[in-house]
């Protein structure tokens, strides 16, 4: 379930309480008159089943509570309450299938912002992958995939397309493009430095690499895996399954492809460089396409079920 803490202007408290009381899937309603100081107002708290959370949040925003007051949402990890159990049964569907669109937009906004930390993770992940490419070490490649933060901006692009949010789309694309450009440029310099130290060599790059040669040789399976990973990634975000998201991160060769492009560029191996870039673009397109389609399917599913819990009388 979700816990809502709402600061409400006194003139809207009655309407807010009636809304919560008439919404299927709510429980534990608490009203504290005059408890809020900044902004001033009443504090209203309740728990709501995740399946009904998005609808209730939209109704609260229709009352302009987010503009004149505040709405805070927290996940309840554990609760002992017969009323909470009854509320979850009242709300149709399963909690894992519910999408809280405002929460998704907020999460992708945070994860898709170009920052020093995001850029550092991108650069470090690409450098780790470069070592894996030269050493033909699959463990390093997997490690680089797990470290790479690129799925945040990719999810931001998908969410922006479905929610028609051009600002989020622009922010996500900037983070994605600038992040990869900076990572490839830094890794090219890193590769030259490693070559000067005798740790990288053209012979290693040109040698048979059975564990990592797929990185710069895209094929239909690359696109299929990207599609599957994009769908799984969006499902993991909307259902808050972070463990699944880690699995997605190590299934698609975005960061390793950028690393192979950087190392190949440092040695003037344009064939490998362009093959790596093609692999990178193919995977990015596949993830975005699948992510957008997944969100549209989820949105359609919940739109068809919305009438089942939209302010129906409680028993």
């Amino acid at each position: 379930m979700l816990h809502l803490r709402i600061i409400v202007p006194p003139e809207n408290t009655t309407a807010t309480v009636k809304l919560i009381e008439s919404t299927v899937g709510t429980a534990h309603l608490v009203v504290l008159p005059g408890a809020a100081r900044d902004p001033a107002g009443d504090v209203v708290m309740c728990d709501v089943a995740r399946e009904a959370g998005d609808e209730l949040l939209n109704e609260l925003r229709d009352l302009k509570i987010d503009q004149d007051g505040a709405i805070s949402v927290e996940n309840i990890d554990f609760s002992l309450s017969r009323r909470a159990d009854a509320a979850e049964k009242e709300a149709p569907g399963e909690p894992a299938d519910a999408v809280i669109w405002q929460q998704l937009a907020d999460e992708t906004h945070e994860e898709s912002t170009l920052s020093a930390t995001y850029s550092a993770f991108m650069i470090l992940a690409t450098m780790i992958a470069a070592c894996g490419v030269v050493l033909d070490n699959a463990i390093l490649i997997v490690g680089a995939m797990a470290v790479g933060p690129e799925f945040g901006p990719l999810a931001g692009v998908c969410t922006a397309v479905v929610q028609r949010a051009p600002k989020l789309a622009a922010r996500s694309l900037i983070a994605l493009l600038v992040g990869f450009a900076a990572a490839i440029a830094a890794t090219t310099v890193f590769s030259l430095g490693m070559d000067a130290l005798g740790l990288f060599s053209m012979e290693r790059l040109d040698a048979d690499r059975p564990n990592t040669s797929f990185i710069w040789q895209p094929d239909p399976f690359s696109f299929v895996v990207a599609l599957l990973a994009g769908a799984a990634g969006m499902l993991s975000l909307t259902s808050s399954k972070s463990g699944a998201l880690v699995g997605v991160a190590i299934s698609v060769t975005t960061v390793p492809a950028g690393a192979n492009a950087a190392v190949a560029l440092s040695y003037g191996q344009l064939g490998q460089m362009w093959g790596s870039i093609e692999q990178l673009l193919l995977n990015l397109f596949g993830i975005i396409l699948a992510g957008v389609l997944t969100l549209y399917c989820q949105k359609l599913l919940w739109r068809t079920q919305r009438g089942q819990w939209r302010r129906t009388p409680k028993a």
Side-chain angles (χ1 to χ4, degrees):
M1 297 190 74
L2 303 174
H3 176 69
L4 272 61
R5 186 185 73 242
I6 311 164
I7 297 178
V8 187
E11 62 272 17
N12 287 341
T13 300
T14 299
T16 300
V17 171
K18 287 184 178 179
L19 170 63
I20 294 172
E21 288 178 334
S22 61
T23 299
V24 170
T26 58
H28 309 150
L29 176 62
V30 177
V31 181
L32 303 174
R37 294 292 180 267
D38 184 19
D42 302 331
V43 175
V44 178
M45 296 182 287
C46 72
D47 297 339
V48 59
R50 184 179 176 87
E51 306 93 289
D54 188 66
E55 184 68 19
L56 179 57
L57 288 173
N58 286 334
E59 297 284 1
L60 290 171
R61 295 190 69 189
D62 288 342
L63 294 175
K64 298 184 179 180
I65 302 300
D66 57 324
Q67 300 178 27
D68 303 327
I71 305 172
S72 301
V73 183
E74 299 176 349
N75 287 310
I76 299 177
D77 295 327
F78 182 68
S79 175
L80 292 174
S81 167
R82 286 187 177 181
R83 184 65 195 93
D85 294 340
E88 288 190 321
K89 291 180 180 179
E90 289 172 359
E94 294 295 330
D97 296 333
V99 180
I100 310 298
W101 291 99
Q102 291 298 321
Q103 183 183 41
L104 178 63
D106 184 70
E107 289 180 357
T108 52
H109 177 278
E110 181 180 351
E111 296 294 329
S112 62
T113 301
L114 183 64
S115 63
T117 301
Y118 168 82
S119 300
F121 270 115
M122 280 293 295
I123 291 171
L124 292 172
T126 309
M127 289 180 176
I128 292 172
C131 294
V133 164
V134 174
L135 297 175
D136 193 35
N137 189 313
I139 295 176
L140 292 177
I141 295 297
V142 171
M145 291 176 179
V147 172
E150 74 279 8
F151 194 80
L154 288 169
V157 173
C158 298
T159 303
V161 171
V162 175
Q163 295 292 86
R164 299 179 182 179
K167 290 184 178 180
L168 176 59
R171 181 184 299 109
S172 301
L173 287 173
I174 289 173
L176 195 64
L177 297 176
V178 174
F180 269 110
I184 291 174
T187 303
T188 301
V189 175
F190 171 75
S191 178
L192 292 172
M194 293 291 280
D195 179 77
L197 294 174
L199 298 176
F200 282 10
S201 67
M202 185 179 295
E203 289 73 20
R204 285 179 178 269
L205 184 66
D206 289 336
D208 291 334
R209 291 184 284 142
N211 293 321
T212 59
S213 60
F214 70 94
I215 292 173
W216 62 277
Q217 296 174 339
D219 56 30
F221 279 106
S222 300
F223 187 65
V224 171
V225 171
L227 288 174
L228 297 175
M234 292 312 305
L235 286 173
S236 70
L237 283 181
T238 57
S239 62
S240 300
K241 301 293 184 181
S242 58
L245 187 56
V246 173
V248 171
I250 61 176
S251 65
V252 184
T253 56
T254 48
V255 166
N260 201 89
V263 176
L265 177 61
S266 70
Y267 286 113
Q269 297 288 331
L270 299 185
Q272 280 203 40
M273 184 192 73
W274 288 117
S276 301
I277 292 176
E278 182 180 350
Q279 177 81 275
L280 174 61
L281 295 177
L282 187 67
N283 286 327
L284 294 178
F285 175 71
I287 291 173
I288 292 174
L289 176 61
V292 169
L293 292 176
T294 299
L295 288 179
Y296 269 124
C297 289
Q298 290 182 291
K299 195 168 189 177
L300 179 62
L301 172 64
W302 284 100
R303 182 174 296 173
T304 58
Q305 296 180 350
R306 178 179 299 176
Q308 298 182 46
W309 64 72
R310 192 173 185 176
R311 293 211 303 273
T312 58
K314 292 185 180 181

